[in-house]
Amino acid sequence: MSEVSVVEGGAEDGAPVPDSDENRRQVLYWRLLARLFDPEEQASLESASVAVVEDIGLPVALLDPATSVDSVVQRHPELAGEFDGLMTPEPDADGGRDRAAEVRRAALASKVLLNVFSTGSGTVTAEQLARWQSDAGWLERALGCRPGELRGGRAGAGGGVGPTGTGFGTPAPDLSRLIPEIGPELGSIEAGLVRRMHLREVLADPALASRLTPSMSLIEQLLRDKNNLSGVALANAKALIRRYVDEVTEVLRTQVEKATVGELDRSVPPKRVFRNLDLDRTIWKNLTNWSPEEERLYVDRLYYRHTSRKTTPQRLIVVVDQSGSMVDSMVNCTILASIFAGLPKVDVHLIAYDTQALDLTPWAHDPFETLLRTQLGGGTDGTVAMALAQPKIAEPRNTVVVWISDFYEWRTDELFESMAAIHRSGAKFIPVGSVTSSGRGSVNPWFREKFKDLGTPVISGHIKKLVHELKTFLT
């Protein structure tokens, strides 16, 4: 990109920018675009942007790509609140636009966008990755989400995000529609940064390893490389995997617990323990025993609350494609299976496959141990997994089979016919195209149409959809 001269509201050689909010805002966004698409600094845009930022009372550090948002906020704590919902401003009461406020928002938004989307090239250090993850968290906050929510796929469409302005004098699209795209894009950038790290060297240094923040991209690399690690590096890798598993487990467990609470079972007598004592009912039922003279209530009977809930023993068979394209699903569904394995009267079986199948049922209750036993990558042959899954269906009407894959298979007709046979037997068969952090994934269109004709359409998207389907069957 050749050097740009700023006219009609720009500046040359550091001259002040004329007092035009629209021009000021455009200067900031043109400078952002120049920085994103050309590593060479445009002197006129830089000097004009400095003049704008200084004139509106913001720190010039906002224009320094080497300075993290954390550092800016640490030095200027009053700015922290301005980043929250920065890109989802509430419209003015009169429906107008506060142009001065939009210039300020443009300066702050440019900082976040530049730090997140301009990642340079070359080797990435643990400190640089941690800084990027922090800056990405500030971008998520600016979009009205919690840090990690977009990258972790926990913000669905809508995600609390509303319309905003582009900074070029025209209304922006509703950013809630862009969230399904922004999340995967952030995940892709993060994965690229992880690939540029000398990860084995970082893991071998406890001080550097401690700076790493677990993410799906990082966990994928650790799982792929775990057999090549040993000693301190392997211990640090396991610690990072366990941290990530624990964090995701906490989120998914909350979703599952909300989904799997059954009705109270009145046929089961309540346990006569103090924590179940229904004090209000006990007093009400014994009011006839009140003695006014003694001012004392005599209790003939104690009443307890029912806590037992109606549940039906169910068998849940989870089959997960662990080939290279399904890493997210392998991690998420392993954790999900472990949560269901901890529920009363749910018999969980877990099978992972690529060109070979592995029965992980003995470790289904512990996702950490399960993931350490997986071997990610390779081709795909679902018939080998079907050979393990079919014998586990003892009572079809009491069984649900969840099959997670992109269904790009080698023996398509043979595999689909065996899946159709499970459906016809009375078992609940749930084909899932993706249970990923982003909710984005492709599914073999041949299988998609076949499942639709069978009456078991493919579920694709966020893991909440799978939890909802399982809730319907297990409660």
Side-chain angles (χ1 to χ4, degrees), residues 410-419 446-447 450:
W410 177 36
R411 293 183 275 192
T412 56
D413 292 301
E414 180 181 347
L415 178 60
F416 178 76
E417 183 52 40
S418 58
M419 291 173 170
W446 185 89
F447 268 94
K450 286 288 188 179

Side-chain angles (χ1 to χ4, degrees), residues 396-412:
R397 298 196 176 277
N398 199 33
T399 302
V400 58
V401 178
V402 178
W403 197 290
I404 301 103
S405 175
D406 55 12
F407 297 100
Y408 284 94
E409 292 282 345
W410 177 36
R411 293 183 275 192
T412 56

